[in-house]
Amino acid sequence: MKPPLLLLHGALASEKQLKPLARQLAAAFDVRTFSFSGHGGQPLDGPAFSIAGFAGEVLRFLDAQSWEAAHVFGYSMGGYAALLAATQAPTRFCSITTLGTTFGWSPVTAAQATAFLDAEKMREKVPQFAAHLEELHAPTPLPALLQATAALMRGLGDAPPLTQANLSTLEVPVQVLVGELDTTAGVDTSQQFANYLPRAAFEIIMNTPHPLEKVNPDLLASRVAQFTRQATAGPR
């Protein structure tokens, strides 16, 4: 029986973002994906559209698959949601790999992250990207999605739920990956938060920026597979 592996997408994306990675890992794992609320055609439910809501969706998805525990890969926001879910129900997670996850939230970083989340500005400056988002997330209107995402990020900035206190007690094996050129997540902050985790591995992927499509797909698949095998084998 193949070990279960759940792949979680980033903000303003959908499970489609993860299909190439899922194909690469399908031979060795029972790979599943889903789109968070408000993404990829899923209804945008205001109260559920929060990082706490997304963490709850991760746990409910595990329940729906009848998975007692699973390995999880989370890109960017997906990694944050996975870790938050793990602080609430650690026995449901065999391992977690994050890539490009922003950990160092504050009002300042939230303001920077939300500066471009305006539909009119986006349509004016990057019309093709705006059109892509409208098609990807239909029928959710783009302004509503961007406003909800901005509110989510401001909430993270005002009261970040992942802290040194709760991460330092998380006994789930966690692999923190960050691109050398990732100015969104930040190498130093990623390493700082990895150091809080008692069973963490940390790696900088050289010459790599934040966007998932810029990450070497073979390298990423190998890192996820290798870490899950190590986590399943247990500490030596």
Side-chain angles (χ1 to χ4, degrees):
M1 183 180 297
K2 297 177 183 178
L5 173 62
L6 172 61
L7 309 181
L8 300 171
H9 66 80
L12 299 181
S14 76
E15 61 184 310
K16 289 182 180 179
Q17 180 183 55
L18 301 161
K19 293 303 182 185
L21 180 61
R23 285 193 293 268
Q24 285 194 277
L25 293 167
F29 297 93
D30 180 5
V31 183
R32 309 284 173 88
T33 62
F34 73 91
S35 294
F36 289 111
S37 292
H39 296 79
Q42 296 299 313
L44 198 164
D45 179 356
F49 200 102
S50 66
I51 203 66
F54 293 161
E57 289 184 12
V58 172
L59 295 175
R60 289 193 293 276
F61 187 83
L62 297 182
D63 289 340
Q65 309 309 303
S66 298
W67 285 351
E68 292 185 10
H71 299 281
V72 177
F73 166 80
Y75 169 66
S76 197
M77 179 194 73
Y80 204 103
L83 282 173
L84 183 56
T87 64
Q88 301 164 3
T91 60
R92 305 301 303 277
F93 297 85
C94 302
S95 75
I96 296 172
T97 293
T98 69
L99 170 66
T101 293
T102 299
F103 294 106
W105 287 99
S106 69
V108 172
T109 59
Q112 293 170 343
T114 58
F116 191 59
L117 296 181
D118 178 274
E120 289 309 311
K121 288 182 183 178
M122 190 176 289
R123 287 173 179 144
E124 178 184 345
K125 295 186 177 181
V126 283
Q128 288 182 324
F129 180 60
H132 164 71
L133 291 182
E134 289 184 299
E135 180 180 357
L136 179 64
H137 301 297
T140 299
L142 180 60
L145 175 62
L146 296 181
Q147 290 167 11
T149 303
L152 179 153
M153 291 179 174
R154 286 193 293 269
L156 282 170
D158 291 340
L162 291 181
T163 64
Q164 182 176 2
N166 59 10
L167 291 178
S168 65
T169 62
L170 183 62
E171 291 296 331
V172 175
V174 178
Q175 176 177 222
V176 177
L177 303 176
V178 63
E180 179 191 19
L181 308 179
D182 188 340
T183 57
T184 301
V187 170
D188 292 342
T189 303
S190 297
Q191 185 160 27
Q192 175 188 350
F193 275 76
N195 289 340
Y196 296 154
L197 292 155
R199 299 183 64 188
F202 174 75
E203 182 179 353
I204 301 169
I205 302 176
M206 304 307 292
N207 301 312
T208 301
H210 182 72
L212 182 60
E213 61 269 19
K214 301 292 187 180
V215 181
N216 182 310
D218 294 329
L219 184 149
L220 179 58
S222 70
R223 292 298 187 273
V224 172
Q226 182 179 19
F227 188 71
T228 56
R229 286 194 294 268
Q230 292 172 346
T232 302
R236 295 181 180 180

